[in-house]
Amino acid sequence: MTETATATVDAVIVGAGFGGMYMLHQLREQGLTCRVFEAGTGVGGTWYWNRYPGARCDVESMQYSYSFADDLQQEWSWSELFAGQPEILQYANHVADRLDLRRDMRFETRVTGAKFDETSRRWTVMTDRGDIVSARFCIMATGCLSTARKPDFPGMDLFKGQTYHTGHWPHEGVDFTGLRVGVIGTGSSAIQAIPVIARQAKHLTVFQRTPNFSIPSRNGPMTPDYENQWKTTYPEQREKARHSRNGVLTNPNDFSALSVSDQERTAILEQRWSEGGTRFMAAFNDLALNKQSNDFAAEFVRDKIRAMVKDPATAELLAPKGHPIGTKRICVDTDYFLTYNRDNVTLVDVSQTPIEALTETGLRIGETEHEFDAIVFATGFDAMTGTLTRIDIRGRDGEALKDKWEAGPRTYLGLMTAGFPNMFMITGPGSPSVLSNMIVSIEQHVDWVAGCIAHLDARQLDCIEADRDAENKWVDHVNEVAFKTLYPSANSWYMGANIPGKPRVFLPYIGGVGHYRQTCDRIAAEGYEGFQLLPPSREAVAAE
Ligand code: FAD
Ligand code: NAP
């Protein structure tokens, strides 16, 4: 459906993932007219695009789900502890149906530009279908991991077989039966996909530049008892998660790995390993802070890899040694390391000799040609900033967001950026976002934005904008907190290190979900400290 040039709404929301869906619901409840633009053909965002084999969440589904409406969380049942992508997508569609969200959504429509007009104090939002919509608020629910990235190897067009990116998987699925398949990358996506592809393919070759730490998920079917346990205690549990370190209830131990005996430390790590999942990192309170503590946990996992992988040389290649555990996103898997014991799987180390080019029949590394029928790029995303800077967003004085963020993103609280009034970001850079259970962070941001808009409306204010001073202090704080941890020592996408030329700054806020929520709530309660709230301008009043 195409808009007319005169379309006017209170808010344009970009993106129909979990962020955009909840934002739409909240603003509609407040009586605002909204238009959501979504590049895909349906809702679900991440779970719409990432349909690769094995894709599933690494936060238990009883926690990776909306908490804002009790009827929603009571009526939905997950079939597994960690739901697979199809079920999460089904859930997103169920929510869209229940809340009748689609009537305000335009699919297959990419927002190409958004421009703030200083006289009318309104945003003009443009799309690749020629829509031009005027809105008072522009809300970017564009996702942190929504711009898939392939390396620019020479010869990308030469290869005669099929290529896929995990983040752009064909809807009809891919059958690898009988095929020679190459997978490039060993991040979270690859670690989930590799065991499944290996079971289908004639031969699978994995190209690894950096090995990753991965913890077994211990996924299994949902039991009625477990589901009930959650559903009867949801109000307390959800509240606990909202005030926790990363939005997930991990039963964290509040003592250092150095404060216990060797025997006790190993027993605790064993216990966490057998429980599985990301709660492994909550075994001690200093794994992200103290290298010596981290070394114990890292060596523990390396030993597990050595015990699982039969070929010692392959095991050593798979055992990460170049970064502290957890400083690159920790992976969660089902049978990942055991997959390398299969006869039809080969690991190729490309850390010293990189992939040089794609060829007609496969790819080349040095003098060696590898032949494939299909190549899977599990090579990640231009995370946190890439999606936003690809939209031509212009604030005051025509300043482009892309230029403002040239040396790294600058935001106040990850919610707004100075010079771009009435433009909000859901889980933007400088907020906990990707370091958390993202549904918890999405709900917190959406609630804060909705509350902010209600505050403006109740006082007949027109506009909110972050102060440059407050923004500078927040950016400094985000960096200061990050550099107290071990995180910046890794070449991770958190640091922008996966994109050639991207500035190396720590993108999310590592101060903790609960602490961050308190900061945001305090700032709102104190009259939006660090923001300017403006009454309607004379020009805007005159224009009405
Ligand atoms: P998204 O789901 O990314 O949605 C953003 C939407 O905006 C997309 O549909 C995109 O098409 C649209 N969009 C972007 N730009 C434009 C534009 N210019 N015009 C129109 N539309 C646009 N998080 C967890 O907490 N736990 C997990 O287990 C977990 N697993 C993950 C697994 C994978 C494979 C990936 C990639 C991410 C995972 N994440 C996980 C993070 C995940 O992105 C979030 O949990 C959550 O789904 C993000 O929702 P969102 O609405 O903010 O963004
Ligand atoms: P990623 O973590 O960025 O991994 C990309 C992989 O591709 C890395 O191993 C990288 O190696 C490799 N790579 C990139 N360019 C390469 C090149 N030119 N040659 C060889 N290797 C190359 O991306 P991802 O796996 O898609 O995951 C991104 C994020 O999405 C995760 O960190 C997580 O937050 C989320 N996610 C979560 C889950 C889940 O379990 N629920 C699943 C998937 C994704 P280097 O490390 O050397 O750069």
Side-chain angles (χ1 to χ4, degrees), residues 52 56 58 186-189 192 209-210 328-329 378-380 493:
Y52 59 86
R56 65 178 63 250
D58 63 2
T186 48
S188 301
S189 301
Q192 290 184 328
R209 189 164 66 183
T210 313
K328 284 180 107 143
R329 166 79 176 209
T379 46
W493 61 258

Side-chain angles (χ1 to χ4, degrees), residues 15 17-19 38-39 45-46 49 57-58 64 109-111 141-143 387 438:
F18 285 125
E38 166 55 55
T46 286
W49 295 105
C57 57
D58 63 2
Y64 188 76
T109 310
R110 183 169 287 281
V111 168
T142 42
T387 306
M438 286 202 70

Side-chain angles (χ1 to χ4, degrees), residues 193-211:
I194 283 165
V196 187
I197 298 176
R199 291 199 289 273
Q200 274 185 8
K202 183 170 165 206
H203 195 91
L204 170 64
T205 307
V206 177
F207 296 94
Q208 172 185 274
R209 189 164 66 183
T210 313

